[in-house]
Amino acid sequence: MKQTNNFQNLLKDEFEAFVVAQQSKFPTNEILKIDLHCHDYNSDVPDERIGRILNVPETWLPSLKLLEKLAKNGCDTFTVTNHNNARSCYELQDNGLDVLTAAEWSCYVPDFEIGVHVLAYGFTPEQEVRLEKLRKNIYRFLEYARAQDIPTIWAHPLYHHAVKKTPPPDFFNKMLLLFERFEAVNGQRDTWQNLLVKEWIEQTSDEDIDRYAKEFGVEPLQFVADPYRKAMSGGSDCHMGIFAGMTGSCLHVPNLTARLKTQTRSELALEAIRNGNIAPFGTYQNTEKMTLAFLDYACQVALNYQDPGLVRMFLHKGSINEKIISFIVSNIFSEVKKHKVTTSFIRIFHQSMMGEKPSFLKKLILKPAYKPIFDEAVAIAAKNRETDKTLIDGYYHSLQKINEQLNGILTKRLEKKLKKQENFDLKSFENFIDKLELPSNIRNYTSSKDKKQKQEIDISEFLDGLSFPFFGSVFILAAHFTSAKTMFHTRPLLRDFAERMGKYQHPKRVMWLTDTFGEGNGVSVFLSEMLYEIRKNNLPIDIVACSSKIKTDENLIVMPPVKEFELPAAYGDYTFGVPNFVELHNLFLENGYDRIICSTEGIMGMFGLYLKHAYTVEATFYMHTDWLMFARKALGIEGHYLNRIRRMLRWFYKQFDGVFVLNSDQKKWFSSNQMNLNPDKIFQTTHWVNEIFKPVAADKKTLFGIENNRPVLLYVGRVSKEKGVLEVSQIYRRIKHKIPDLQLVVVGKGPALQQMKDENPDAFFPDWIAREKLPAIYSSADLLLLPSRFDTFSIVVLEALSCGLPVIAYNTKGPKDIIRDGMDGFLVNTQPEMQARVEEFFVNKKSFRKSAVERAAAYMPETIINGVLKNVGLN
């Protein structure tokens, strides 16, 4: 369920009002319409280092194709602003076309160590050579441009390159002295960023300029003709040509009709830019436009990719991470080129984006499963005749449908493939971990003998039939990720900027991700209680799950699963749903979230990390389960296999900005050498129980079928070996000899339930107990026995204490932080000690009920939730 995103609605209304006001500045019969920021194939050296490592240009778009798109979208005056060169402008001019000479220069601000992009217009080839030499120092570059009367525009002022840290306010204050034109509407940036630039320029006063000039010791006239005149421009920043001209600028030229008889449009455009007679135009947008542009770019890379070579990758400038990413990306594109169906569809998609309708004959030879995808490609080509927002919405709608179809094909085929792989034993965790390992010896990759020994699965056979739907889905999700990353990687800057401006401040709202909700496990129970408190206190939090068993409700968003699968009983009888990742990606933006909490280490936990990096937000993990202990107790994993799991968990948890733990042991362990997390980012919290858990009148007769004076030993929880339930049987049988009328009651289900029944034929095993009936169970028992050694919190302890029931547990993890030994229960270290204390309790008949209730009262939801909110930045 989408929430009303008032912030995005505000941005849309404000942006549209701004554009309307700008368009009314000049008479319509005295304007030239131009896209002041667009690219073609001569933008061949990317600013991004990964692109340079891979040796791919930013676009393959021919110059004439670009001009054709610009004219189609309403431009009547033309320029091309390629990176650090004006080659396309000169080539077009040599062919007799009227084009304004321009380029987008990558300049460097040495005193702040920040790279910025500067658009420059109307220079000569000789001046271009000089600009190229000076661009490493923004001050010398702009001083020269001013002396030569070359007008400049600061492109996307809130998006920079070569940035080591968030630019400080002084940086922006000083830049106000260097520029008199600012790109306030960039077609590849989201509306939030554009509006912040607009607000910044509008709020700058003459007094500010004078103050900054004095503060920095700068004479503005060295760099600008009029330091108090600030003009705003617009440009599409389009590299693929798809959206060129949809964002741009109206240039005012008084007496335009008459002057066109003696001067060219490019000459008049240059004059208007110099005079600051500029009014930007464009449409409200988020990430759809850039997602489509990146997807088309990925298609072009796939079609034109040439292996840059391993030596180039390793010797090129760049970090280890950049080189690893480049290596992975290179292998993906190389693999794509080997698959004819994948390559064919990539070519069809790219051609459709450019308005070329695919041949109907191609559809005749396609497999039936692929024909709906072909139809959407045809629809995309047809939409190319439309303009502005209609075209973007149409393209993106078709893209979503293609993604759904690819997911459906991939899911069905993957399911069939996995059924055939009988030798891939998922139940054997050790085998699974082994299969994740890659050999470090190069010969293992080249020797067919060694490969047969190491590889039980034929990878080529396994991937056969999966390549197109897999790579298609990956390309679409990767385009969404790259789009969001590009737009929001400056989020900390945008947040600070909005605070300084006192306007367009992004609201705080949490997306809380979980793989399980509405089930009987501890995570689900806690999240149900959290949801109750969220609604009760109107907290800005939505819990997001993926399931076919529950429905969306207030503050609960349920994503329909693309596929559901069940884990074996040893893992807890959980059903995991796989969501449509693109829908989940879009949900984050549509609902206006700005931070993440994850409660499970599964699919949703991993996607939480994806969202963290895509949208540049903080993500916190709320740890419920000690998986290392679970691996030992439930799966029997020891030795180096256990260490591998620990390292995997360490890597996972360290990706988060903070981790909530539920006991003091966990907090110590996470900050130890074993896990090595920053102690300042580990937050100890706790749980609470629903208000229904309180003492009620005991009724053993009705509940257990025994007299009220008979003692009752109670176990509540999952009936499985890792929970220590077999110790319950041993303790009960031994004490039974001394206390013959003792009654054991076991409430729960699990893989060891039948064994428990066989070992304790006189115990009472009630059928499924609704949660609302548990207070009566607790209130009618005399002692709760908890033999588990790895519960991170043990919510049943708190439930029992809340109902006045004392608890005996091992002196470890969660229980030792809750139980006060000898006051509201017992903490023991060994099984014989546990047996002795249980026996002592029933013999002495000491009552802890009042003390138990008092102890439980310390766990109040208001206090606990306030602590959580504070640590995630909501308070």
Side-chain angles (χ1 to χ4, degrees), residues 92 240 274 298 329 336 344 388 393 472 710 832:
L92 292 168
M240 303 300 111
R274 281 180 176 143
V329 170
V336 166
S344 176
D388 297 335
D393 290 343
R710 283 191 61 183

Side-chain angles (χ1 to χ4, degrees), residues 531-661:
L531 181 60
Y532 173 81
E533 296 295 330
I534 290 170
R535 292 169 176 169
K536 176 182 173 183
N537 297 289
N538 194 29
L539 299 177
I541 302 173
D542 293 326
I543 294 174
V544 180
C546 179
S547 174
S548 62
K549 299 175 183 177
I550 55 176
K551 295 181 179 180
T552 291
D553 203 345
E554 182 183 358
N555 296 105
L556 173 64
I557 298 174
V558 182
M559 307 290 294
V562 174
K563 172 65 181 173
E564 286 185 308
F565 61 92
E566 294 182 359
L567 289 178
Y571 297 87
D573 297 321
Y574 293 154
T575 299
F576 281 88
V578 181
N580 181 320
F581 294 127
V582 169
E583 287 184 4
L584 189 52
H585 170 101
N586 288 338
L587 182 71
F588 189 89
L589 183 64
E590 290 166 356
N591 282 7
Y593 303 112
D594 74 325
R595 60 203 68 208
I596 299 164
I597 299 177
C598 297
S599 267
T600 48
E601 292 87 346
I603 294 168
M604 290 300 228
M606 292 302 297
F607 201 76
L609 292 177
Y610 163 97
L611 291 172
K612 164 186 162 62
H613 292 290
Y615 287 103
T616 317
V617 295
E618 291 189 352
T620 309
F621 194 83
Y622 199 117
M623 184 179 177
H624 297 270
T625 305
D626 185 338
W627 289 109
L628 204 61
M629 183 69 77
F630 180 87
R632 289 181 57 198
K633 293 290 185 178
L635 306 179
I637 296 175
E638 298 289 350
H640 73 280
Y641 291 108
L642 196 65
N643 276 329
R644 285 188 187 176
I645 295 173
R646 176 180 58 80
R647 293 186 185 105
M648 291 177 189
L649 290 171
R650 180 174 62 194
W651 174 87
F652 178 78
Y653 296 130
K654 289 188 80 168
Q655 306 310 304
F656 289 89
D657 298 286
V659 177
F660 284 105
V661 297

Side-chain angles (χ1 to χ4, degrees), residues 794-859:
S794 299
I795 192 67
V796 294
V797 172
L798 201 54
E799 289 175 350
L801 295 178
S802 299
C803 296
L805 178 64
V807 183
I808 183 167
Y810 284 113
N811 187 24
T812 183
K813 297 188 182 296
K816 80 172 188 178
D817 288 341
I818 306 172
I819 300 169
R820 298 173 299 181
D821 187 39
M823 295 179 64
D824 36 58
F826 304 101
L827 293 171
V828 298
N829 296 306
T830 64
Q831 183 180 330
E833 186 184 358
M834 179 173 280
Q835 177 185 327
R837 299 299 290 272
V838 171
E839 183 179 334
E840 176 188 336
F841 173 80
F842 282 112
V843 169
N844 294 337
K845 297 180 180 180
K846 185 176 181 181
S847 176
F848 291 162
R849 291 191 178 275
K850 182 179 178 181
S851 180
V853 173
E854 290 174 353
R855 177 57 176 159
Y859 293 82

Side-chain angles (χ1 to χ4, degrees), residues 305-335:
Y305 189 68
Q306 299 293 324
D307 186 356
L310 202 58
V311 173
R312 174 190 174 88
M313 284 190 195
F314 286 164
L315 296 183
H316 202 287
K317 288 182 180 179
S319 66
I320 295 296
N321 283 343
E322 287 172 329
K323 293 178 181 181
I324 291 174
I325 292 171
S326 299
F327 178 77
I328 294 171
V329 170
S330 178
N331 276 271
I332 289 174
F333 282 119
S334 297
E335 188 66 27

Side-chain angles (χ1 to χ4, degrees), residues 413-428:
R413 293 185 178 178
L414 187 60
E415 193 173 10
K416 290 180 181 179
K417 293 282 184 181
L418 289 174
K419 286 181 180 178
K420 293 180 180 180
Q421 299 296 334
E422 296 179 358
N423 63 322
F424 189 65
D425 184 10
L426 281 173
K427 293 183 180 180
S428 172

Side-chain angles (χ1 to χ4, degrees), residues 61-253:
L61 179 68
S63 301
L64 292 178
K65 276 283 187 182
L66 171 61
L67 265 59
E68 180 184 319
K69 282 287 183 180
L70 290 168
K72 171 183 172 292
N73 289 322
C75 291
D76 54 27
T77 308
F78 307 102
T79 188
V80 184
T81 55
N82 286 323
H83 287 296
N84 304 318
N85 76 85
R87 289 193 298 269
S88 293
C89 296
Y90 301 143
E91 291 168 5
L92 292 168
Q93 291 165 359
D94 289 344
N95 287 319
L97 296 173
D98 180 26
V99 175
L100 175 62
T101 305
E104 181 180 18
W105 298 94
S106 298
C107 298
Y108 192 66
V109 186
D111 46 339
F112 290 97
E113 298 183 306
I114 294 172
V116 298
H117 285 171
V118 180
L119 299 164
Y121 304 89
F123 49 81
T124 65
E126 293 75 17
Q127 290 171 329
E128 179 184 345
V129 173
R130 186 65 178 157
L131 290 170
E132 168 63 25
K133 290 181 178 179
L134 296 175
R135 69 184 179 90
K136 297 296 176 63
N137 186 315
I138 187 71
Y139 304 106
R140 297 180 63 194
F141 180 93
L142 291 176
E143 191 172 17
Y144 175 79
R146 169 74 183 98
Q148 299 295 314
D149 202 16
I150 301 170
T152 59
I153 298 175
W154 187 6
H156 41 70
L158 297 184
Y159 179 83
H160 317 102
H161 69 94
V163 184
K164 295 181 179 179
K165 58 184 179 181
T166 301
D170 279 353
F171 166 72
F172 294 98
N173 295 340
K174 193 171 185 179
M175 292 301 103
L176 281 168
L177 305 175
L178 308 186
F179 291 94
E180 55 184 304
R181 304 169 200 88
F182 302 80
E183 188 180 54
V185 182
N186 181 290
Q188 295 297 309
R189 307 296 149 195
D190 77 301
T191 301
W192 185 28
Q193 188 172 146
N194 285 334
L195 280 175
L196 284 171
V197 174
K198 180 268 286 188
E199 189 66 24
W200 173 48
I201 300 304
E202 289 182 344
Q203 287 190 18
T204 300
S205 65
D206 292 354
E207 292 75 16
D208 290 331
I209 298 298
D210 291 337
R211 187 173 71 256
Y212 298 149
K214 183 177 181 180
E215 180 181 337
F216 295 111
V218 171
E219 173 49 63
L221 292 176
Q222 285 182 267
F223 306 103
V224 295
D226 185 349
Y228 305 110
R229 181 185 63 187
K230 303 300 179 187
M232 291 182 278
S233 71
S236 69
D237 200 2
C238 185
H239 290 64
M240 303 300 111
I242 307 169
F243 308 113
M246 289 186 184
T247 304
S249 298
C250 293
L251 305 180
H252 181 222
V253 181

Side-chain angles (χ1 to χ4, degrees), residues 741-758:
D741 61 343
L742 181 65
Q743 177 67 57
L744 174 64
V745 176
V746 177
V747 178
K749 292 184 177 181
L753 181 59
Q754 189 56 52
Q755 183 177 350
M756 283 286 289
K757 289 181 176 181
D758 293 342

